[in-house]
Structures are given as C-alpha cells and as structure tokens.
Amino acid sequence: QVQVVESGGGSVQAGGSLSLSCTASGGTLRINSFGWYRQAPGKQRELVATIMYNGNIDYADSVKGRFTISRDSAKRSVSLQMNRLEPEDTAVYYCNAAVTEMTTFEYLEVWGQGTQVTVSS
C-alpha cells in the first residue's frame, strides 16, 4: 500500500523557521510530483508548493521568497523549508504525492495525515 508520512511542524513565533519532511513508501514507485498543501480553520485547502518529476517548482504567491521545496529522489522524500513565518501561515500542512506504481502502472494520488504549523505573533 502506497502511503506518505509527514514529519516536522510545530509552534514558532513570527519571523521564525520550521521544516517539514515527507516520505513516500510502498510499492515500486515513480514520483510524478510532490506537493505541500495547507488548510487553515474555516478555509479551503490551498496549494503551497509543488515540485514535478522534471524538477519544475511552483509556489503560492503568499510564500514566494520565504518557503523552499526540495526533494531527494533516491529517498522518495520531499522537504519544505519555511522561513520568516507569519501568523497567516498557521494551518495543517499536508503532503501530496502523485505517483505511478510501476508494476501495475496505476496512477495514484496519496495524501499524508497532516501536520500542524502554528505561528504566534
């Protein structure tokens, strides 16, 4: 069974930094893309950053210049370095992996369980 597991997060004061990590496991996988999403209370889930198989990266305007997404393909993992955090960044952060299972060629989108990031002013 394919799954992704997040780690990191926590609480920090405004201006501080946190790092999130996510690892995909299960099966023989091609990682087509990794993405980080977040959902604040009362709001819809929104895209934070994505990194594609070819290395293309995209960020939400609200995090450009502050957050950095990176991956370790050999470890099937992705990280999100978050700097200059703001109270508005407070949310549950979710990892998403779009994968192809290479024995069945099944396309899957897999979500992590989410990790809380809280930024106090």
Side-chain angles (χ1 to χ4, degrees):
Q1 181 179 357
V2 181
Q3 60 180 349
V4 294
V5 178
E6 300 127 338
S7 61
S11 298
V12 68
Q13 288 191 325
S17 299
L18 286 172
S19 181
L20 306 179
S21 295
C22 169
T23 300
S25 64
T28 303
L29 305 177
R30 165 182 153 144
I31 309 296
N32 299 311
S33 68
F34 271 121
W36 286 100
Y37 293 73
R38 66 187 181 187
Q39 187 166 19
K43 294 187 177 181
Q44 289 189 328
R45 190 173 297 187
E46 63 175 0
L47 175 69
V48 176
T50 58
I51 183 165
M52 307 303 289
Y53 179 79
N54 62 3
N56 287 350
I57 289 174
D58 192 24
Y59 294 101
D61 288 343
S62 59
V63 307
K64 283 181 181 176
R66 300 188 298 122
F67 290 12
T68 302
I69 189 171
S70 61
R71 69 180 177 190
D72 184 331
S73 297
K75 295 182 179 179
R76 301 197 294 191
S77 66
V78 64
S79 297
L80 185 69
Q81 178 64 40
M82 304 181 291
N83 298 327
R84 305 202 317 270
L85 282 160
E86 304 168 354
E88 293 74 21
D89 296 316
T90 295
V92 178
Y93 284 69
Y94 296 90
C95 178
N96 170 275
V99 308
T100 301
E101 211 294 328
M102 298 304 288
T103 57
T104 63
F105 298 101
E106 183 179 10
Y107 178 86
L108 300 168
E109 288 222 20
V110 187
W111 290 90
Q113 78 283 1
T115 185
Q116 179 70 44
V117 170
T118 302
V119 185
S120 57
S121 57

